[in-house]
Amino acid sequence: MDTFKNPIIPGFYPDPSICRVNQDYYLVTSTFEYFPGVPIFHSIDLVNWTQIGHVLDRPSQLNLDGTPNSRGIYAPTIRHQNGLFYVITTFVESQYGERRNFYVTAENPAGPWSEPVWLKGAPGIDPSLFFDDDNRVYYTGNRVPPTGQTHAKHMEIWLQELDVNKGTLIGDPVGIWDGALKIAHAQEAPHIYKKDGFYYLIIAEGGTGFTHAVTVARSKTIAGPYEANPRNPILTHRHLGKDAPITNVGHGDLVDTEDGDWWMVCLGSRPYGGMFRNLGRETFLAPVRFEDDWPVVCPDTGRIEEEMRGPNLPRQKVISSSIRDEFDQLELGMEWNMIRTPRERFYTLAEKPGFLRMKLRPETLADCASPSFIGRRQQHLSYNVATKLLFSPETQGEAAGLTLFHSQTHHYRFEVIYVQEQPVVRVVKREGTSDDVVGELSISETSIELKVEAHFQELTFLYRNQFGKWHVVAEKQDGRVLSTDRAGGFVGTYIGLFATSNGNENTTYADFDWFDYKGE
């Protein structure tokens, strides 16, 4: 049996959910404040995945205006029933704002997907749907226990029947579980499965950090009572040291193959340079075996490994994503995202063929807005990224370039900017609420190449003209600024292109000839 490498989808692709339709597998992940929302992937071997679209790709489906960093779309679940795909998820308005749950449907998983069906009376986050044998449909989510919390972040898993045709919850909600670990917190991400006469309830416990875990309970009836697996948690890495190559494993979803084998997709992180997780939470795959009518995850070692024995499925041809985008198509590739919902078309691939032309707008990367930005996820511990920029700033504050972006308050900008009546190329580190210029050189060229060499957590920023040598603008910069462990939140690092007029209205644009990303 062939082996495979974890993670199966590297980079900021957290909270995976999976379903199977015959021999085809489909997977979705969270996207928080990024647009389009909820990427959807396809595979026939559970190991090699190809993105086929986004579930939420229209502003009418996804209004992220004013959504803070690490809020927005949380933990989607994908299911299929009677020829129709369902994705249900939570929209989180802000840290303390409303949590609103909705679902969308599609006949073709590549889209188009329907407008959202917003559910009333559905508190909490991380919803899931379960389609029972009698054609009844059930909603599960988490909520504060009606009797009150016994400890911080204590949550209850609840269940209620759903009329999917009318988009309404029916009957009475029932609390079915408040966790297997009792003193654990953040009971969430419930998924129900039916096998051999048992309803299995899998949830996440312990929060999304180092103590993350997957637990399971079972019952003969869907409303309970549920009994805990005495082996709980069935998956965690919290018992390992913080120097383990994979940490904070949790948030699992099960799928069976046509041959009856079981697998789990889950999230985890690969820290480097210490307990720093620039890549965010990634998607991993783990084998599952049932013993004594209980699931056992990773039965060989009890943990997710970087290389494991793979599924007994025909391996599909690996379709590697190009590391170089020449911008010679009329639409951006699916790997590119924007920050929040764009309300105007700020870029074009048609106006100057072979170039990405970006309009300079007043919004900046430090604003809670939708700036002129397109980015793709960092997917390797070390990497080189470069672009060729054609740009002639003439007014104070006009800027364009590369960014290593985690959030409004934590990012690097490698920019050409007009300062004191001349253009300069500079590196700006933002950690908190102020900018720190860590390197700057005057330039006269209007066509230059920008490059960032990331050797683990050490960053070097270089530029050159078309025929010249590379000049170091800043070196030995700290990549840990881009880690959730410094910046907070739940997202990972993006590598992107941006253009801004820093608060001023104008008609200037920047042209990007190509973009290179190469992981090591």
Side-chain angles (χ1 to χ4, degrees), residues 412 457-461 474-479:
Y412 280 95
Q457 296 290 7
E458 184 173 289
L459 307 176
T460 301
F461 298 81
E475 59 184 338
K476 296 183 179 179
Q477 295 302 305
D478 187 4

Side-chain angles (χ1 to χ4, degrees), residues 1-4 8 18-26 42-49 255-265 285-288 308-318:
M1 185 181 297
D2 292 338
T3 62
F4 72 94
I8 53 171
I18 191 170
C19 74
R20 176 176 64 85
V21 182
N22 299 322
Q23 77 277 14
D24 295 293
Y25 300 87
Y26 300 95
H42 169 259
S43 176
I44 60 171
D45 63 9
L46 289 173
V47 172
N48 299 292
W49 293 87
V255 68
D256 63 336
T257 70
E258 287 188 294
D259 292 335
D261 295 329
W262 286 82
W263 291 83
M264 175 182 284
V265 292
L285 180 68
V288 177
M308 304 185 77
R309 289 186 295 172
N312 186 25
L313 295 169
R315 287 293 176 93
Q316 68 188 77
K317 182 179 179 181
V318 179

Side-chain angles (χ1 to χ4, degrees), residues 142-220:
N142 79 345
R143 66 181 181 182
V144 174
T147 56
Q149 294 176 311
T150 60
H151 53 279
K153 299 183 180 179
H154 172 209
M155 303 296 286
E156 176 187 69
I157 305 303
W158 66 282
L159 171 89
Q160 191 169 359
E161 191 171 353
L162 172 67
D163 185 329
V164 293
N165 296 317
K166 296 181 179 179
T168 57
L169 294 167
I170 56 178
D172 296 321
V174 179
I176 60 173
W177 195 242
D178 68 349
L181 306 181
K182 300 307 177 186
I183 61 170
H185 65 281
Q187 292 84 355
E188 58 195 21
H191 297 306
I192 292 178
Y193 318 86
K194 194 173 186 179
K195 182 181 185 298
D196 299 331
F198 282 106
Y199 292 91
Y200 291 92
L201 172 65
I202 281 186
I203 70 169
E205 298 192 54
T208 60
F210 190 74
T211 57
H212 211 19
V214 178
T215 62
V216 64
R218 71 184 183 189
S219 174
K220 286 290 187 177

Side-chain angles (χ1 to χ4, degrees), residues 24-46:
D24 295 293
Y25 300 87
Y26 300 95
L27 184 149
V28 294
T29 70
S30 297
T31 42
F32 296 86
E33 72 266 28
Y34 287 95
F35 185 94
V38 187
I40 181 164
F41 298 86
H42 169 259
S43 176
I44 60 171
D45 63 9
L46 289 173

